[in-house]
């Protein structure tokens, strides 16, 4: 990473010295050299942070970052000088209880075959999970992509099929491709139950919660970096990060380095994947099929224009419209502090049911279920 000017810096190909002075891995660098460079950077960071007198608070806005930071031991390496908190970056975790209740209604009241990613199976609704419903005979199937659900519907035209469309900018194009295929094939037994969300409004909702954001690389590979650059111009700092040890250490080093300068900043520390323009093709299919709408986020409430819904020409593929779904309001389990965890207001270990009534085997909240959930990471790796 490097280059750029003003408050918003764009990453470029790195050099060789010390991960290009916090600038990424050199293509000819050996694994041993990379480890040595990373160790030297960590030592630098500890020295700078200790002299600073107070910790830097960084919010990871990606569940995969949370788990990798734990798995690699980065939290412990930089504690207590760096406070790493998790934000609303796990799509399953921020999906509200009402969405699970809606999916259950489709399966149980309308006899619809519900296709879903596996993480959603055990997320508690108001009274039960999709896994519970399946055990009692509901047709709930795990798929690996929205297109799998479309193909199942195309091969089983005697069945009504709904895909649970959950995710951020990364997965929304896939759901749109499935709808476009269904429309092209004049398929009438396929629909989406949408809970797609976009990150820019969530970043704004979390304004003031941290010194800097660790932005999700997957999201910005699709959406590009313009929103991050704009946030930097309006006082919100952050870096886009990759997922290897060297990439994460480099991103955190940039946060420390730029924070010392005392001005808002943005740096793209994942330039090999994230480009300023993102994925034009991915954005184009979404713009063709969907449009923004208000959306409910677990813990954050309704955030204006932060969701995506099907446009009018594709409304026949909207499960809520197609099946005349009534308004369903979910009931949260008030003993669970999942919503506070998603806002960085508390650590999972501060939740009264963490590790007691709530475990990966018997989750009370979505943050313990998902493979990207913060509570699951704390439970698996032991949090500080």
């Amino acid at each position: 990473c490097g280059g750029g000017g003003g408050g918003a810096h764009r990453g470029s190909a790195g050099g060789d010295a010390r991960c290009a002075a916090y600038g990424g891995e050199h293509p000819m660098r050996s694994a041993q050299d990379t480890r040595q460079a990373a160790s030297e950077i960590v030592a630098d960071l500890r020295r700078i942070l200790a002299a600073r007198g107070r910790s830097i608070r960084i919010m990871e806005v990606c569940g995969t970052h949370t788990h990798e930071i734990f798995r690699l031991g980065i939290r412990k390496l930089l504690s207590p000088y760096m406070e790493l908190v998790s934000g609303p970056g796990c799509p399953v975790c921020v999906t509200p209880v009402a969405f699970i209740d809606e999916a259950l209604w489709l399966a149980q009241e309308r006899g619809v075959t519900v296709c879903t990613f596996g993480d959603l199976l055990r997320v508690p609704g108001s009274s039960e999970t999709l896994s519970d419903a399946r055990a009692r005979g509901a047709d709930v199937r795990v798929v690996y992509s929205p297109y799998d659900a479309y193909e199942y519907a195309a091969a089983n035209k005697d069945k009504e099929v709904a895909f649970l469309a959950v995710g951020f900018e990364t997965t929304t194009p896939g759901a749109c491709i499935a709808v476009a295929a269904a429309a092209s094939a004049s398929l009438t037994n396929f629909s989406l139950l949408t809970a797609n969300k976009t990150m820019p409004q969530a970043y704004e909702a979390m304004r003031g919660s941290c010194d800097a954001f660790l932005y999700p690389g997957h999201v910005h590979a699709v959406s590009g970096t313009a929103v991050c650059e704009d946030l930097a111009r309006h006082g919100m700092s952050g870096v886009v990060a990759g997922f290897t040890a060297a990439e994460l250490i480099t991103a955190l080093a940039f946060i420390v380095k730029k924070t010392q300068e005392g001005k808002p900043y943005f740096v793209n520390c994942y330039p090999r994947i994230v480009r300023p323009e993102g994925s034009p093709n991915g954005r184009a299919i979404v713009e063709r099929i969907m449009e923004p709408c208000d959306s409910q986020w677990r813990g954050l409430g309704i955030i204006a224009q932060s969701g995506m819904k099907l446009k009018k020409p594709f409304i026949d593929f909207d499960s809520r419209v197609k099946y005349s779904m009534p308004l369903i309001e979910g009931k949260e389990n008030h003993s669970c502090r999942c919503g506070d965890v998603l806002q960085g207001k508390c650590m999972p270990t501060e939740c009264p049911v963490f590790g007691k009534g709530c475990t990966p085997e018997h989750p009370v909240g979505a943050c313990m279920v998902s493979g990207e959930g913060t509570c699951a990471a704390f439970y698996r790796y032991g949090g500080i």
Side-chain angles (χ1 to χ4, degrees):
C1 299
H9 291 247
R10 294 181 177 180
S12 59
D16 189 30
R18 300 289 300 282
C19 286
Y22 308 157
E25 297 175 71
H26 187 271
M28 301 301 292
R29 184 187 293 281
S30 70
Q32 182 176 352
D33 288 342
T34 299
R35 285 194 294 270
Q36 178 62 29
S39 296
E40 291 174 1
I41 292 173
V42 169
D44 272 357
L45 295 184
R46 290 179 63 88
R47 195 160 46 246
I48 293 168
L49 289 166
R52 186 171 184 263
R54 71 177 185 87
S55 64
I56 291 179
R57 182 177 170 90
I58 300 169
M59 177 170 282
E60 317 130 19
V61 196
C62 175
T64 304
H65 279 158
T66 299
H67 278 255
E68 283 303 290
I69 285 169
F70 263 113
R71 188 181 68 82
L72 296 166
I74 291 173
R75 292 177 67 94
K76 290 183 179 179
L77 283 172
L78 295 176
S79 177
Y81 311 111
M82 184 177 286
E83 183 184 2
L84 291 160
V85 297
S86 298
C90 164
V92 171
C93 299
V94 299
T95 300
V97 169
F99 181 80
I100 302 299
D101 292 345
E102 289 177 325
L104 289 165
W105 184 88
L106 286 174
Q108 296 172 325
E109 299 299 324
R110 288 302 183 97
V112 174
T113 296
V114 170
C115 293
T116 179
F117 296 137
D119 274 3
L120 281 174
L121 276 181
R122 296 189 306 116
V123 175
S126 295
S127 59
E128 62 179 338
T129 66
L130 287 164
S131 182
D132 296 331
R134 185 170 68 169
R136 295 203 319 274
D139 193 357
V140 180
R141 298 171 180 266
V142 173
V143 295
Y144 296 97
S145 75
Y147 204 81
D148 289 344
Y150 156 72
E151 289 186 320
Y152 181 81
N156 296 271
K157 293 183 180 177
D158 58 324
K159 295 183 177 182
E160 292 292 319
V161 178
F163 175 71
L164 306 187
V166 169
F168 300 135
E169 287 88 342
T170 315
T171 54
T172 299
C176 292
I177 289 169
V179 169
S184 178
S186 299
L187 198 65
T188 61
N189 66 323
F190 176 74
S191 64
L192 297 185
L193 182 63
T194 55
N196 303 88
K197 292 176 167 55
T198 53
M199 290 306 303
Q201 298 83 358
Y203 298 151
E204 284 286 359
M206 301 308 298
R207 181 182 286 273
S209 61
C210 58
D211 295 307
F213 288 116
L214 196 64
Y215 290 122
H218 293 149
V219 165
H220 292 285
V222 176
S223 64
T225 60
V227 65
C228 304
E229 294 166 4
D230 186 60
L231 288 170
R233 284 190 288 269
H234 290 84
M236 295 173 67
S237 298
V239 303
V240 171
F243 300 91
T244 68
E247 286 169 338
L248 284 165
I249 289 293
T250 297
L252 294 173
F254 256 113
I255 289 176
V256 172
K257 187 176 181 181
K258 299 299 290 183
T259 299
Q260 294 297 100
E261 296 175 10
K263 296 182 293 185
Y265 57 87
F266 165 69
V267 182
N268 178 10
C269 290
Y270 199 25
R272 66 187 178 91
I273 298 295
V274 176
R275 301 286 185 267
E277 69 277 12
S279 171
N281 290 339
R283 293 201 310 278
I285 186 66
V286 173
E287 289 170 7
R288 177 189 160 204
I289 304 294
M290 290 187 172
E291 62 187 1
C293 63
D294 297 347
S295 185
Q296 178 84 33
W297 295 59
R298 188 188 299 261
L300 279 73
I302 294 176
I303 302 179
Q305 300 295 284
S306 66
M308 299 298 291
K309 67 178 182 179
L310 293 170
K311 287 184 172 180
K312 191 172 182 179
F314 301 97
I315 202 69
D316 290 343
F317 298 99
D318 186 319
S319 297
R320 295 182 180 94
V321 174
K322 181 176 183 178
Y323 300 106
S324 302
M325 184 180 291
L327 178 64
I328 296 174
E329 297 183 358
K331 297 179 181 177
E332 299 273 358
N333 185 322
H334 294 297
S335 63
C336 171
R337 295 192 66 187
C338 206
D340 289 336
V341 170
L342 290 167
Q343 298 175 77
K345 291 182 176 180
C346 78
M347 293 294 185
T349 48
E350 297 175 69
C351 176
V353 296
F354 176 82
K356 301 167 187 171
C358 184
T359 65
E361 293 76 24
H362 301 285
V364 174
C367 296
M368 186 63 87
V369 178
S370 173
E372 296 185 350
T374 304
C375 295
F378 269 71
Y379 188 92
R380 180 176 182 180
Y381 298 108
I384 55 173

